[in-house]
Amino acid sequence: KNEVEQSPQNLTAQEGEFITINCSYSVGISALHWLQQHPGGGIVSLFMLSSGKKKHGRLIATINIQEKHSSLHITASHPRDSAVYICAVISGSARQLTFGSGTQLTVLP
Amino acid sequence: ETGVTQTPRHLVMGMTNKKSLKCEQHLGHNAMYWYKQSAKKPLELMFVYSLEERVENNSVPSRFSPECPNSSHLFLHLHTLQPEDSALYLCASSQGAGGSSDTQYFGPGTRLTVL
C-alpha cells in the first residue's frame, strides 16, 4: 500500500465546475506539496503547506494534520486546468518527498 | 533563461549505449535532485545533491551514475540500461536539501526510451 493515496485517479469535469482532489497519507509529515504535471511532463509546484489553508487564484489547498488528509480545490474550472495533480509529503525524519500516483483531471469545454 | 532546464528532452538509446542527461538551474539553489517517473507509477527519488555532495541515494542501480560538478549543474550518466529503465527523468532544485520549507522546482524532464 502506497504511503500516499490520492482520489480519484481520474476525473472529468465540465468547464466551470468546482473540483476537489483528495490526498490521504499514513505517515507523520512535516509538509505536503501539491504539484501539477502537464502532458509534456513538466511539473509545477502549486502549494506547500503544513497546516490550515492556502489560496492562489482559483486554487485552494487545505490540510488536516490530525486526519492525515489534504484536499486541492479548483473553482470555476477551465480546460487549461487539465493536467495530472500530484500530492507529495515530506515525512518528519526523512528529507525526501513521497509521491502519490496522481489524479488525471480533464476539463471539457 | 527559465528556472530549471533539462537536455535532451527526448532520448532513444540502445542497451549498450552510453549517454548523459543534463540539468541546469538558474535559481541560485543549493540542492538538486533526480527523479524517475515510470508509466502509471508515482515519482521515485533517485539522487539528492546538496552543495555538490550526494546526500541521498535510494538504492539506484549502478548503471545510473550522477555527477554534480557545481551547484548549478547536475548530470545523470547512463550505461548499459535495460528496457525497463524507459521513463521520464525529472530534475528538480531547491534552496536547501529537502527541509520542510524548501519548495522544489522541476525541470521539464527527459523522456528516455531504451530499446
Side-chain angles (χ1 to χ4, degrees), chain B residues 20-74:
Chain B
S20 295
L21 309 184
K22 179 183 176 183
C23 176
E24 187 172 357
Q25 58 97 1
H26 308 273
L27 300 168
H29 287 166
N30 294 314
M32 297 186 76
Y33 310 76
W34 278 119
Y35 289 93
K36 176 184 178 183
Q37 187 178 37
S38 302
K40 301 191 185 302
K41 288 186 178 180
L43 278 156
E44 303 169 58
L45 178 67
M46 299 176 73
F47 301 104
V48 180
Y49 276 82
S50 176
L51 298 172
E52 301 145 49
E53 288 192 22
R54 190 190 308 179
V55 296
E56 294 278 356
N57 176 1
N58 281 5
S59 302
V60 179
S62 59
R63 57 185 183 270
F64 295 92
S65 174
E67 179 190 0
C68 188
N70 55 62
S71 60
S72 298
H73 294 85
L74 184 65

Side-chain angles (χ1 to χ4, degrees), chain A residues 37 43 45 48 96 99 101, chain B residues 35 37 45 58 100-101 106:
Chain A
Q37 185 173 28
I43 291 179
S45 178
M48 184 172 66
Q96 63 194 55
F99 296 84
S101 298
Chain B
Y35 289 93
Q37 187 178 37
L45 178 67
N58 281 5
S100 61
S101 61
F106 285 81

